[in-house]
Amino acid sequence: MKIKDKVIVVTGASDGIGKEIALRLAKEGTKLALLARNTERLELVAKAAREAGAQEVNVYSCDISKSDQIAQAVSQITSDFPSVHVIINNAGVWQKLSQLDDIEDAIVHEVIATNLTGMILLSKKLMPTLRKQDEAAIINVASKSGITAQDGQSVYTASKYGVRGFTDVLKSDLKDSSIRVAGVYQSGTNTQMFAKSNQDFPVETFSEPADLADIIAYMLMLPPKIWLHDVRVEKC
């Protein structure tokens, strides 16, 4: 896909992987619709993206776990941009490593709503405009927890296995359309997501968000006859 001038929606764009994806794609002259809860940080990313070469950048305050906020954001995006070509579903929250019976109900709801339900609803609501494009794509950033069961991550892993299942069925459902679908299953990435849990992780052994952003940009810019639909990323 030639992504210059294409409209790309990135969720969770205020920091970490989402921020780096936005900045990387900005260098290709894209138009960006950036979503996140923290508007102040989002505006800083937008400014940096414009300076990096984005043709246009709009920001949308949106808690992806809230269906009404998703609907409002999509309404505004489709008003601001006549076409949307790519969705990068990246927003996610971490579940502190715990046994299931020690996880509060509110955390269960937050993790599933943010990591899975929000992704599904955003994709559903933007599907009509994607279907109108000659080339379109949905990339779901899942994590290794979408393919590997790991101790203490019952709820987080449930959400990510759900992302994998959603991605695989969407690929099949859309195989005869102009929309290509991919899942990205990365190992630990050096972002603030883990620090927020107040647990120690060996982040020095994790991959860098900018490297993952390079991979996603590469996926989008492959020739039309080539598509990487299932990408698994490990740090060497």
Side-chain angles (χ1 to χ4, degrees):
M1 180 187 294
K2 294 180 180 179
I3 63 173
K4 184 178 180 180
D5 296 323
K6 294 290 194 297
V7 177
I8 301 179
V9 175
V10 183
T11 68
S14 62
D15 61 11
I17 296 170
K19 172 185 175 180
E20 295 300 330
I21 291 171
L23 296 180
R24 177 63 184 83
L25 296 178
K27 295 177 181 179
E28 304 300 328
T30 58
K31 298 177 181 179
L32 298 171
L34 306 181
L35 281 67
R37 291 179 294 185
N38 190 313
T39 308
E40 184 177 350
R41 287 207 305 262
L42 201 56
E43 290 286 3
L44 293 175
V45 175
K47 180 176 184 294
R50 294 185 191 103
E51 292 171 351
Q55 295 295 312
E56 185 177 349
V57 187
N58 288 352
V59 302
Y60 306 89
S61 177
C62 180
D63 182 342
I64 207 73
S65 71
K66 310 294 185 186
S67 59
D68 58 334
Q69 293 190 30
I70 294 173
Q72 183 177 359
V74 169
S75 177
Q76 191 61 56
I77 290 168
T78 52
S79 174
D80 293 340
F81 295 103
S83 301
V84 173
H85 304 87
V86 177
I87 307 170
I88 299 178
N89 285 309
N90 165 76
V93 293
W94 173 248
Q95 167 238 306
K96 183 177 181 179
L97 296 178
S98 305
Q99 293 297 302
L100 178 60
D101 42 336
D102 293 327
I103 302 173
E104 296 178 5
D105 291 357
I107 298 299
V108 174
H109 290 297
E110 179 190 15
V111 171
I112 299 298
T114 303
N115 295 357
L116 179 58
T117 309
M119 173 184 292
I120 294 171
L121 290 176
L122 183 74
S123 302
K124 174 181 181 293
K125 292 183 182 300
L126 285 172
M127 193 68 71
T129 185
L130 291 183
R131 287 187 184 277
K132 295 176 183 177
Q133 313 311 320
D134 292 334
E135 288 183 297
I138 299 172
I139 295 180
N140 296 330
V141 181
S143 103
K144 181 180 179 180
S145 293
I147 53 177
T148 303
Q150 300 180 84
D151 293 349
Q153 296 184 22
S154 57
V155 178
Y156 183 76
T157 297
S159 72
K160 296 301 184 176
Y161 266 59
V163 170
R164 181 185 177 190
F166 171 65
T167 302
D168 287 348
V169 174
L170 209 55
K171 279 188 293 188
S172 180
D173 286 349
L174 297 173
K175 65 181 181 296
D176 296 322
S177 76
S178 61
I179 306 170
R180 297 186 173 189
V181 181
V184 177
Y185 305 95
Q186 76 280 11
S187 59
T189 308
N190 187 10
T191 71
Q192 290 299 306
M193 185 175 76
F194 300 106
K196 293 173 184 176
S197 70
N198 295 318
Q199 291 181 313
D200 290 328
F201 288 91
V203 293
E204 66 278 359
T205 68
F206 290 180
S207 58
E208 294 300 323
D211 294 332
L212 192 60
D214 280 338
I215 291 169
I216 289 171
Y218 172 77
M219 291 168 66
L220 287 173
M221 293 189 293
L222 285 167
K225 292 183 179 180
I226 299 174
W227 182 246
L228 302 178
H229 60 84
D230 186 339
V231 178
R232 307 188 183 193
V233 183
E234 296 277 355
K235 183 177 179 181
C236 295

